[in-house]
Amino acid sequence: MTDVAAAALPGTHPPAYDFFVSRTGADAKAATFIAQTLREAGQRVLIQDDFHGASFMAMMAAGWSSGARLVCVLSPDYQQSEACKSEYEVALTGDPRNLKRRVIVLRVRPCAPVEHLKPLPYVDL
């Protein structure tokens, strides 16, 4: 069993992550590229493709609670996803101006950031 899958089991502790990559299904390829690039740089990364049948909600909670930086794979689809919105809202709780730099926005398709992402800087990939 992988560390990621074990994190969803009761009584286990999630591994520490450096980055949690948040994406929609439409942006899976870009998110996988981002995660792989971070891993090649020696970073510990959580991405939903690693869940391997574990509880989706438990794995999302493991990502949120790990203290990892959230990488938002920004696209029009991302901004319409309630699940993705929840992820960045949780990451910005207590730090709405992102002064701790826990939220990193990487735009993978043309769109203008909205809501909580609007004031945050982003990088185009």
Side-chain angles (χ1 to χ4, degrees), residues 82-103:
E82 288 298 317
C84 293
K85 181 178 178 180
S86 293
E87 292 166 13
Y88 66 73
E89 285 177 342
V90 167
L92 290 169
T93 298
D95 185 24
R97 292 178 30 208
N98 200 31
L99 297 176
K100 295 177 185 174
R101 299 180 183 160
R102 282 199 64 207
V103 177

Side-chain angles (χ1 to χ4, degrees), residues 37-94:
T37 301
L38 289 167
R39 287 178 175 150
E40 288 173 1
Q43 303 300 312
R44 296 165 297 175
V45 179
L46 178 64
I47 186 170
Q48 72 185 59
D49 303 84
D50 297 330
F51 294 0
H52 303 294
S55 164
F56 186 83
M57 294 310 293
M59 293 306 301
M60 299 304 282
W64 293 330
S65 65
S66 71
R69 287 189 169 143
L70 180 72
V71 177
C72 301
V73 181
L74 185 64
S75 70
D77 293 293
Y78 187 87
Q79 294 192 111
Q80 293 175 2
S81 168
E82 288 298 317
C84 293
K85 181 178 178 180
S86 293
E87 292 166 13
Y88 66 73
E89 285 177 342
V90 167
L92 290 169
T93 298

